[in-house]
Amino acid sequence: MALNPLRSAAIACILAFAALPARAADYANPQLLTSADELRAVTEYSEVDMGVSYSEDTAVIDVRPVADYLESHIPGARHLAPNAVADPNSPVPGALRPAADLAVVFGNLGISPDTHVVLYDDKGGFHAARVFWLLEYYGHRKVSLLDGGIQKWVEAGYALDKGPRRKGQTRPAIALFSPAITPRRHASADYIIERHDDPETLVIDVRPTSAYVKGHIPWAMNIPWKANLKADKTMKSADALIAHFESLGVTPEHNIVVHCQNGLASAHSYFALRLIGYPKVRTYHRSWVEWGAADDLPKAVTEAG
């Protein structure tokens, strides 16, 4: 007997979901996290020029210093220096380059609207997460982090490449990247001040407690970003992350602003909250380096016990 088309589609969806790694399937947004095995499954090796491509429109981006990239990287990965998105001329360290400049940066990496971008580093996503947040802020919807970074790729037994692009290999085609700013992913100092008395808005300072106690936004909670990771630098399970945030009163109903020192660590907690399905999360990327230096913004110091 022929199956009803709608029923067939439903069964196909169930089977596809069941095929996901068990831990990834627990996340509300499992597509934001890519495992080494999943990445290897779409990797294609050319017998002609010994180059690497991906069977889907995938761009793998290595967000580490260039010396580390040249020493070894995932085959076919393109390089983006950790601070390439920061404006070297800004008086606020870590502030972003102008949108037009960043459009060129991403376009030169071959990122088009249809590209699935997989980002990795060797610090549990500390550097890669800022690029993840920035791409989402600029309207790119197909982006994920490689869980556990380059270390997990190696632990899975997959080969690394060395040096620059091999002779004969083609460069990624330059793409037209057009930022489509998504305001709900970004917060400014004014945004935080205006919502000081809003009980539905939570400000989370993700810096280490040792930095938080020396100076912080008076109504900010301290939830260090490293609590998002397991010892092997992979993301904690969905249950563990949800229990962690909810035990501190951070629930999906809240409008959440995360910040750190200069926009790096805050993006990691932004990613963790997005991964478990929190819908209203923003990054104050200028963070404490701007707030702490501003004479007209309130500050607090936590006295020793």
Side-chain angles (χ1 to χ4, degrees):
M1 181 176 66
L3 286 174
N4 180 287
L6 291 177
R7 185 180 179 188
S8 298
I11 292 173
C13 289
I14 292 170
L15 292 174
F17 187 79
L20 288 170
R23 194 169 64 85
D26 291 338
Y27 296 113
N29 290 311
Q31 75 280 3
L32 303 184
L33 200 63
T34 298
S35 70
D37 290 342
E38 289 168 331
L39 181 58
R40 179 62 183 82
V42 297
T43 307
E44 295 182 340
Y45 291 84
S46 170
E47 296 295 336
V48 177
D49 61 11
M50 299 302 291
V52 172
S53 61
Y54 293 91
S55 56
E56 300 174 359
D57 187 3
T58 299
V60 181
I61 311 296
D62 184 314
V63 192
R64 297 181 299 152
V66 65
D68 294 336
Y69 172 83
L70 293 174
E71 175 63 26
S72 62
H73 56 266
I74 292 174
R78 306 162 193 179
H79 179 253
L80 180 66
N83 287 319
V85 300
D87 185 351
N89 300 314
S90 173
V92 178
L96 299 176
R97 290 180 181 273
D101 292 353
L102 288 171
V104 173
V105 170
F106 293 137
N108 286 344
L109 288 168
I111 301 174
S112 72
D114 295 325
T115 305
H116 174 208
V117 181
V118 180
L119 303 155
Y120 76 87
D121 58 30
D122 57 2
K123 299 184 182 300
F126 180 74
H127 286 123
R130 177 167 63 174
V131 184
F132 172 91
W133 164 73
L134 184 53
L135 284 169
E136 283 212 327
Y137 174 45
Y138 279 179
H140 195 78
R141 297 291 177 253
K142 300 172 70 174
V143 55
S144 63
L145 294 189
L146 179 62
D147 196 18
I150 193 170
Q151 296 97 321
K152 281 298 174 184
W153 178 268
V154 173
E155 286 180 22
Y158 302 135
L160 294 173
D161 209 347
K162 294 186 177 183
R165 186 178 292 100
R166 295 175 181 174
K167 184 177 180 180
Q169 286 182 251
T170 58
R171 293 178 177 274
I174 294 176
L176 177 62
F177 185 93
S178 299
I181 302 297
T182 308
R184 64 190 176 90
R185 296 302 180 196
H186 176 267
S188 63
D190 286 343
Y191 179 93
I192 294 172
I193 286 290
E194 290 166 2
R195 290 157 181 78
H196 175 198
D197 296 321
D198 178 8
E200 299 303 315
T201 298
L202 296 180
V203 179
I204 300 176
D205 185 329
V206 309
R207 294 177 298 162
T209 302
S210 59
Y212 172 85
V213 299
K214 294 177 182 177
H216 55 268
I217 298 173
W219 55 96
M221 307 170 62
N222 182 219
I223 307 178
W225 74 277
K226 286 189 176 180
N228 303 327
L229 295 172
K230 297 165 64 176
D232 64 355
K233 296 185 180 179
T234 58
M235 296 298 297
K236 286 183 177 177
S237 69
D239 287 345
L241 287 172
I242 292 169
H244 168 60
F245 285 110
E246 290 193 347
S247 71
L248 297 169
V250 181
T251 62
E253 293 76 26
H254 287 107
N255 181 32
I256 302 167
V257 179
V258 288
H259 86 85
C260 57
Q261 184 69 23
N262 58 6
L264 282 166
S266 57
H268 198 281
S269 288
Y270 168 92
F271 174 79
L273 289 163
R274 288 277 293 113
L275 185 62
I276 58 176
Y278 280 49
K280 298 179 288 186
V281 190
R282 301 168 180 259
T283 292
Y284 171 37
H285 86 274
R286 288 177 170 244
S287 290
W288 184 252
V289 71
E290 176 183 70
W291 192 287
D295 294 334
D296 58 342
L297 293 175
K299 304 167 187 66
V301 174
T302 302
E303 296 182 2

